[in-house]
């Protein structure tokens, strides 16, 4: 046989496309042409495949080799096509004869000595393959750990090209010594370590129940970061479908070392405030990578020192906040990544950070203080339902021996609150209180009469904007769910109003 | 040393010439040389002119013999073939550029690997 075909998967964002790899060996001067819009890493595959074949005891055909990756219009990138090209070459040369590869995809990068190296994006590629009815996949052994969530597709791990040869010829599945990838999973922190902060704890719990975006304000060292880091611990666990989706995004970004593939904990992503908007929403010239907001999908995106962010970085989040997805357009096309996250911002109240209480220690001018918060743009602040002042803990709180309420206790209430909400929204298209459309808030999802009267009075006194009116109502539903009332009453709405204004509660 | 290598080259060309003759192909010229370069063998197969580049090697340490024909060298072969056609007033003749690799291995019979129409 001088013509052979293998299959692999090319990724466009999270979407996988089946790629046919055809190899033709014909007489002529020794040469190698690779067709099908390969990128630089893929162009270099020739040298890797050639050396790998040599060092696995196989021959490089000293003839005219044509490799075609189809569909031809699709841009293909990365080193994952090394292995399918090598296998196709071996079949075309007749080295491998007994092949039944119709329901199998192959992926992996080759090292010069023939060993198979891990690649990025194995999980989303295999999810796509599974949906296309592919039954098994030859993958790098080191990527096996991330395929745990797959049900119908059987991944077969290989560490060396010679093992693949043996498998194709004799059907021997090698006994590969699995190296567990070194994980740098950050430990899950518990809310019981937070001292005091009743008001901020309440805000955090309501945010978790209703999926309300949150802003922590307060002087440095009061525990804003500490509180934010613990939000994932009070959120309900991800479903297996969500967990797979989150892992797939991390797989493309090569960030699965920071997250166990089948972890049910919502992700927590905290980009530094000097980050660029590309890093925030995703991008890249050749292969488009997901950004921080997609890595935080179904979890928490925490931005500390939010007013210090470069202009435009925070505003780049407006589209994902609105739609739950982020669309990135480049020359090669438009790619959409999911980005449904809970946004948590933290900020000092002023540039010097010491504006607290009556602001006696603060050295900033009133203009400076006003300007500081203006760095977070109005439209973005508008999407934030809850503002919480994090105060310096008092002496009594600091000397308390009793630990604070644990994450598990809070999470139990959050789950209960979300269940109540889910039951209420059975017939609707949303599941969280923060997603109730404004029109519905004025009709189907109104608060009690006296509560609505309070809101109308606030509107009349111009202490509340029309937008604020809707936000307060949404938050009041979460507070009602937390307290077990079926419809938000006066107390719930007043508390929601205070949460929006950032004043103390309880 | 240089002379020994020349010898290997000449032996290879002779081998390829007899290989072709054994198939009833007539050799028209050997080592036709002009300023731009040299054609190892010119042969005629019926109405078809064959221009043959021969590469001889005693080991494969430096890769396959035919890998030594780079794209630039291949283009030169093309030009030389046209130059031969022009000089011999054979315009309109069908022609083909072939390559042959000759492997000399100690203790074994030399092996000719012939590839027709490589360009």
């Amino acid at each position: 046989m001088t013509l052979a075909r293998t299959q692999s998967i090319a990724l466009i964002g999270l979407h996988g496309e089946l790629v046919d790899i055809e190899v033709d060996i014909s007489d002529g001067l020794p040469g190698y042409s690779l067709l099908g819009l390969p990128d630089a890493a893929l162009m270099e595959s020739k040298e890797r495949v050639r050396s790998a074949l040599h060092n696995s005891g196989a021959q490089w055909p000293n003839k005219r080799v044509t490799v075609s990756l189809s569909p031809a219009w699709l841009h293909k990138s990365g080193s994952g096509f090394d292995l399918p090209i090598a296998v196709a070459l071996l079949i075309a040369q007749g080295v491998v004869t007994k092949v039944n590869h119709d329901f199998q995809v192959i992926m992996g990068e080759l090292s010069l000595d023939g060993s198979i190296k891990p690649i990025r994006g194995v999980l989303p590629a295999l999810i796509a393959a599974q949906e296309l009815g592919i039954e098994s996949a030859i993958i790098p052994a080191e990527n096996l750990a991330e395929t745990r969530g797959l049900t119908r597709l059987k991944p077969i791990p290989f560490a060396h090209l010679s093992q693949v040869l043996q498998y194709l010829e004799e059907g021997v599945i090698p006994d590969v010594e699995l190296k567990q990838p070194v994980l740098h999973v950050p430990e899950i922190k518990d809310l019981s370590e937070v001292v005091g902060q009743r008001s901020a704890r309440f805000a955090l719990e309501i945010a978790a129940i209703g999926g309300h975006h949150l802003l922590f304000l307060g002087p440095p060292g009061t525990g804003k970061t500490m509180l934010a880091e613990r939000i994932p611990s009070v959120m309900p666990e991800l479903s297996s479908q969500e967990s797979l989706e989150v892992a797939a995004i991390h797989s493309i970004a090569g960030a699965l070392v920071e997250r166990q593939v089948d972890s049910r904990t919502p992700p927590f992503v905290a980009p530094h405030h000097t980050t660029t908007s590309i890093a925030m929403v995703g991008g890249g010239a050749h292969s488009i990578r997901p950004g921080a907001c997609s890595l935080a999908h179904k979890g928490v995106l925490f931005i500390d020192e939010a007013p210090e962010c470069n202009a435009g970085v925070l505003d780049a989040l407006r589209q994902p906040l609105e739609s739950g997805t982020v669309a990135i357009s480049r020359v090669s096309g438009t790619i959409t990544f999911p980005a449904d996250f809970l946004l948590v911002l933290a900020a000092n109240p002023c540039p010097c950070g010491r504006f607290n209480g009556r602001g006696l220690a603060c050295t900033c001018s009133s203009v400076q203080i006003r300007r500081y918060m203006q760095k977070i743009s109005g439209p973005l602040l508008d999407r934030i339902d809850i503002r919480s002042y994090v105060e310096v803990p008092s002496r009594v709180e600091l000397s308390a021996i009793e630990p604070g309420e644990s994450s598990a206790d809070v999470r139990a209430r959050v789950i209960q609150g979300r269940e109540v909400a889910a039951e209420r929204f059975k017939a609707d298209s949303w599941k969280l209180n923060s997603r109730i459309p404004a029109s519905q808030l004025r009709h189907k999802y109104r608060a009690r009469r006296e509560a609505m009267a309070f809101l109308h009075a606030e509107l009349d006194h111009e202490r509340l904007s029309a937008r604020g009116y809707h936000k307060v109502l949404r938050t009041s539903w979460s507070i009602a769910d937390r307290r077990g009332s079926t419809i938000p009453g006066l107390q719930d709405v007043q508390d929601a109003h205070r949460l929006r204004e950032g004043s103390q509660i309880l | 040393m240089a002379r020994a290598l020349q010898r290997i080259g000449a032996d290879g060309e002779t081998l390829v010439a007899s290989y072709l003759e054994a198939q009833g192909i007539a050799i028209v010229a050997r080592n036709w040389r002009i300023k731009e370069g040299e054609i190892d063998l010119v042969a005629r197969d019926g109405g078809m002119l064959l221009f043959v580049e021969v590469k001889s090697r005693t080991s494969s340490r430096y890769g396959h013999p035919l890998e030594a024909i780079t794209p630039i060298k291949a283009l030169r072969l093309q030009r030389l073939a046209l130059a031969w056609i022009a000089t011999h007033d054979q315009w309109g003749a069908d022609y083909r550029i072939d390559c042959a690799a000759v492997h000399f291995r100690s203790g074994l019979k030399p092996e000719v690997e012939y590839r027709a129409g490589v360009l």
Side-chain angles (χ1 to χ4, degrees):
Chain A
M1 203 188 330
T2 57
L3 183 69
R5 185 177 70 96
T6 53
Q7 290 177 310
S8 192
I9 300 280
L11 279 179
I12 313 129
L14 271 184
H15 169 75
E17 188 96 30
L18 198 64
V19 170
D20 276 338
I21 293 118
E22 289 168 304
V23 167
D24 176 59
I25 302 178
S26 60
D27 275 345
L29 290 179
Y32 182 90
S33 42
L34 181 57
L35 314 173
L37 303 183
D39 75 343
L42 193 45
M43 280 308 284
E44 291 167 351
S45 68
K46 178 201 171 183
E47 309 301 333
R48 285 193 297 270
V49 171
R50 182 193 171 107
S51 295
L53 285 180
H54 263 294
N55 294 321
S56 309
Q59 281 294 313
W60 174 262
N62 281 306
K63 295 188 173 181
R64 187 198 301 245
V65 178
T66 311
V67 178
S68 167
L69 311 177
S70 62
W73 52 267
L74 181 71
H75 284 271
K76 289 142 206 106
S77 63
S79 49
F81 292 104
D82 289 1
L83 189 55
I85 291 175
V87 170
L89 268 168
L90 291 170
I91 300 170
Q93 288 188 85
V95 178
V96 176
T97 47
K98 288 174 279 181
V99 264
N100 175 25
H101 49 75
D102 265 3
F103 299 102
Q104 193 161 54
V105 290
I106 306 177
M107 53 192 71
E109 176 183 322
L110 283 173
S111 141
L112 298 190
D113 65 358
S115 54
I116 298 169
K117 292 188 162 176
I119 56 170
R120 283 183 176 191
V122 164
L123 181 57
L126 291 190
I127 292 173
Q130 184 170 276
E131 273 155 24
L132 288 164
I134 301 288
E135 286 160 5
S136 71
I138 294 178
I139 59 161
E142 279 178 63
N143 286 117
L144 185 68
E146 62 180 271
T147 62
R148 262 179 289 177
L150 297 166
T151 45
R152 297 191 305 269
L153 184 142
K154 182 177 158 41
I156 314 169
F158 290 91
H160 198 276
L161 181 58
S162 54
Q163 294 172 336
V164 180
L165 270 176
Q166 209 186 359
Y167 164 73
L168 292 172
E169 267 293 289
E170 298 156 30
V172 186
I173 293 179
D175 191 16
V176 176
E177 191 193 334
L178 287 180
K179 259 193 290 177
Q180 278 302 320
V182 186
L183 292 175
H184 307 281
V185 181
E187 54 180 321
I188 298 163
K189 294 164 179 163
D190 200 277
L191 206 54
S192 59
E193 295 153 35
V194 178
V195 174
Q197 304 295 7
R198 291 183 60 172
S199 174
R201 278 169 169 268
F202 182 71
L204 178 154
E205 189 176 329
I206 297 302
I209 290 176
H212 304 284
H213 303 304
L214 181 64
L215 168 65
F216 281 129
L217 278 166
T222 47
K224 302 186 291 291
T225 307
M226 207 176 166
L227 283 159
E229 280 172 347
R230 284 160 178 77
I231 295 178
S233 72
V234 305
M235 287 166 80
E237 290 195 329
L238 302 178
S239 69
S240 62
Q241 182 60 40
E242 287 169 336
S243 163
L244 202 60
E245 199 177 28
V246 170
I249 300 169
H250 281 70
S251 172
I252 295 186
L256 267 182
V257 286
E258 288 146 37
R259 186 179 169 79
Q260 207 118 35
V261 66
D262 47 1
S263 167
R264 293 294 181 92
T265 318
F268 177 80
V269 180
H272 190 252
H273 61 258
T274 54
T275 192
T276 62
S277 42
I278 302 293
M280 193 62 97
V281 297
H286 301 293
S287 55
I288 300 178
R289 300 255 174 76
C293 76
S294 292
L295 290 177
H297 182 57
K298 298 288 170 197
V300 174
L301 179 67
F302 174 58
I303 302 166
D304 205 359
E305 309 294 355
E308 305 287 352
C309 275
N310 288 329
V313 173
L314 287 177
D315 283 300
L317 291 174
R318 274 154 59 183
Q319 187 226 348
L321 280 175
E322 205 58 54
S323 62
T325 59
V326 50
I328 304 157
S329 291
R330 292 291 184 274
V331 187
S332 51
T334 300
I335 285 176
T336 306
F337 286 116
D340 180 14
F341 53 87
L342 180 70
L343 179 65
V344 180
L345 302 179
N348 288 330
C350 66
C352 83
R354 282 178 297 189
F355 191 92
N356 192 34
R358 280 182 293 162
L360 294 178
C362 177
T363 57
C364 307
S365 70
S366 61
V367 179
Q368 272 182 311
I369 296 173
R370 223 176 309 145
R371 285 229 181 101
Y372 194 61
M373 284 323 286
Q374 277 170 358
K375 286 187 181 173
I376 307 178
S377 75
L380 184 75
L381 271 184
D382 203 57
R383 287 171 172 80
I384 289 168
D385 297 349
I386 301 177
R387 237 180 259 199
S388 174
Y389 276 95
V390 183
E391 305 281 345
V392 183
S394 68
R395 271 163 64 179
V396 182
E397 285 171 335
L398 279 176
S399 52
I401 306 161
E402 283 281 300
E405 196 180 20
S406 75
S407 291
D409 292 348
V410 178
R411 186 169 60 224
R413 284 200 301 271
V414 171
I415 292 171
Q416 203 180 3
R418 283 208 183 186
E419 273 166 6
V420 172
E423 180 65 24
R424 176 169 63 237
F425 300 139
K426 243 185 342 202
D428 300 312
S429 58
W430 62 89
K431 276 191 285 188
L432 293 172
N433 292 326
S434 58
R435 306 288 192 273
I436 310 175
S439 57
Q440 297 286 326
L441 282 171
R442 291 194 297 273
H443 303 288
K444 194 170 167 195
Y445 295 114
R446 292 161 63 94
R448 282 192 194 286
R449 183 191 297 257
E450 64 272 21
M452 292 309 280
F454 164 75
L455 282 180
H456 289 138
E458 290 293 298
L459 268 176
D460 290 343
H461 287 103
E462 294 181 356
R463 283 195 291 259
L464 194 64
S465 66
R467 202 184 281 134
Y469 167 89
H470 294 117
K471 301 230 142 236
V472 167
L473 271 175
R474 287 194 188 103
T475 314
S476 72
W477 274 104
S478 296
I479 297 176
D481 289 344
R482 154 82 164 75
R483 290 179 178 156
S485 26
T486 45
I487 295 177
L490 181 61
Q491 184 68 49
D492 302 327
V493 170
Q494 280 175 340
D495 284 345
H497 186 35
R498 285 193 204 105
L499 273 181
R500 178 174 156 76
E501 299 302 308
S503 28
Q504 285 290 344
I505 289 206
L506 305 168
Chain B
M1 186 66 193
R3 186 152 299 171
L5 287 180
Q6 269 178 7
R7 181 73 190 282
I8 289 165
D11 284 356
E13 283 159 20
T14 311
L15 271 169
V16 175
S18 39
Y19 169 87
L20 287 172
E21 277 167 343
Q23 295 180 36
I25 297 169
I27 302 297
V28 178
R30 277 186 67 166
N31 301 76
W32 182 75
R33 185 187 285 273
I34 55 172
K35 199 173 76 188
E36 282 76 18
E38 186 189 55
I39 301 179
D40 292 340
L41 289 173
V42 184
R44 186 184 287 277
D45 183 7
M48 175 87 79
L49 279 171
L50 311 184
F51 299 95
V52 188
E53 172 73 11
V54 181
K55 289 281 170 194
S56 304
R57 289 287 186 278
T58 51
S59 81
S60 59
R61 196 178 306 154
Y62 300 105
H64 190 274
L66 294 186
E67 279 182 278
I69 304 175
T70 60
I72 292 173
K73 288 186 186 170
L75 275 179
R76 187 188 298 151
L77 284 180
Q78 179 81 50
R79 281 201 306 274
L80 284 168
L82 290 174
W84 191 92
I85 287 170
T87 338
H88 294 81
D89 205 11
Q90 296 281 323
W91 290 112
D94 284 340
Y95 73 98
R96 201 173 73 195
I97 294 169
D98 295 355
C99 284
V102 184
H103 306 271
F104 291 101
R105 295 188 184 93
S106 57
L108 291 173
K109 247 180 83 179
E111 184 193 333
V112 175
E113 193 182 335
Y114 195 86
R115 292 189 194 170
V118 292
L119 289 183

